[in-house]
Amino acid sequence: MLILLLLIASPVFAENCSDLFDGVVYSRRSIFTIKGLPTNLAYNQNNKDLHFTVIDIDSLQDDDVQTKMEQYVLANGHPIKIDDINGQAAAVDNRNNKVYIASDDGLNVLNGSYQTNFLAFKDEDITQLFKTANNDKLYAVIFPDSEVYEIDLQRIEKRRIENVPCAFILAVDDDGNIYYECDSKYVKVLLKDFVEPIEYVGLTKNAARAMAIDDRNRVILAANDGLYWLQPNSIIPKKLMNLDFIPSGIVFNGYDFFISTSGIIYEFNLEFCEQ
């Protein structure tokens, strides 16, 4: 009986553990499906909530209408729509267990009932957020020029990052280096205390889709053809994973991570494949 069970289980193991990330085998499973494009993933390590924005694809492809988007949180496997504001992105401060929500009318904080409390910057249309792990800085992208601002969460003050012209996707590592993609073209990094950004080579134009920081303080770029490590001391990204779909969002939880694509959010898990 044991031999029979092993024979049955082995093909399932091989099928579920066929994704390779940085030389390590991962399992992949769909944890959520929805009509639209899930993006702007953010993960709360304190309560295991997964935050994301769902973009209406029809409105995204129509230049004559405003893009429609809704803010969600996946809590205990159940989706909760944050419907008291026009949410556009979330950022999690895991150290202080706070969730910030970007809206078309300023910056908000999410409470325990999944409702928002206004924090600051009334009338500002905030489209992106990124929370650093080791300090009280929050980075925001503000429409219509997609300029990047550093927000001091102690003083609730914002300062424009002058040497980053604009950003559609954004990440900041623990050393203060700012990684971004501007005007749907090329990926660059502005090293801390430098004034000229550096462009990464070898990436296809208009291929960048999302960025995240992993547990090793590495900036991981999700591009059309896979995941890349953007190193601050090399202009050549290191490819860590091939993808058979076009990603729209990425976030890490320890060694595990989540990637979204049109209509689906996947979880990639290391533990299920450990031998």
Side-chain angles (χ1 to χ4, degrees), residues 66 85-88 102-106 108 122-126:
Q66 183 177 359
I85 61 167
N86 293 322
Q88 302 183 124
S103 77
D104 60 0
D105 194 22
N108 305 265
K122 181 72 174 173
D123 299 325
E124 296 280 16
D125 190 350
I126 305 174

Side-chain angles (χ1 to χ4, degrees), residues 181-194:
E181 183 245 23
C182 178
D183 290 331
S184 299
K185 292 181 181 178
Y186 302 106
V187 178
K188 297 183 179 183
V189 58
L190 177 65
L191 298 175
K192 184 176 176 57
D193 298 326
F194 282 71

Side-chain angles (χ1 to χ4, degrees), residues 34-88:
I34 192 171
K35 181 180 179 181
L37 185 68
T39 185
N40 297 339
L41 303 187
Y43 188 76
N44 189 333
Q45 297 174 355
N46 298 282
N47 59 12
K48 314 304 181 185
D49 284 353
L50 178 64
H51 298 263
F52 57 96
T53 309
V54 177
I55 299 177
D56 178 81
I57 295 179
D58 292 335
S59 65
L60 180 65
Q61 297 173 343
D62 190 341
D63 294 334
D64 296 326
V65 300
Q66 183 177 359
T67 301
K68 298 178 182 178
M69 56 186 68
E70 297 174 332
Q71 195 67 32
Y72 280 87
V73 54
L74 193 63
N76 296 318
H78 301 287
I80 300 172
K81 181 182 175 183
I82 302 173
D83 55 6
D84 59 337
I85 61 167
N86 293 322
Q88 302 183 124

Side-chain angles (χ1 to χ4, degrees), residues 168 181 183-187 203-209 223-224:
F168 290 158
E181 183 245 23
D183 290 331
S184 299
K185 292 181 181 178
Y186 302 106
V187 178
L203 297 171
T204 304
K205 177 183 176 182
N206 196 28
R209 293 291 173 254
N224 285 355

Side-chain angles (χ1 to χ4, degrees), residues 190-202:
L190 177 65
L191 298 175
K192 184 176 176 57
D193 298 326
F194 282 71
V195 297
E196 286 292 332
I198 301 169
E199 181 180 306
Y200 287 100
V201 301

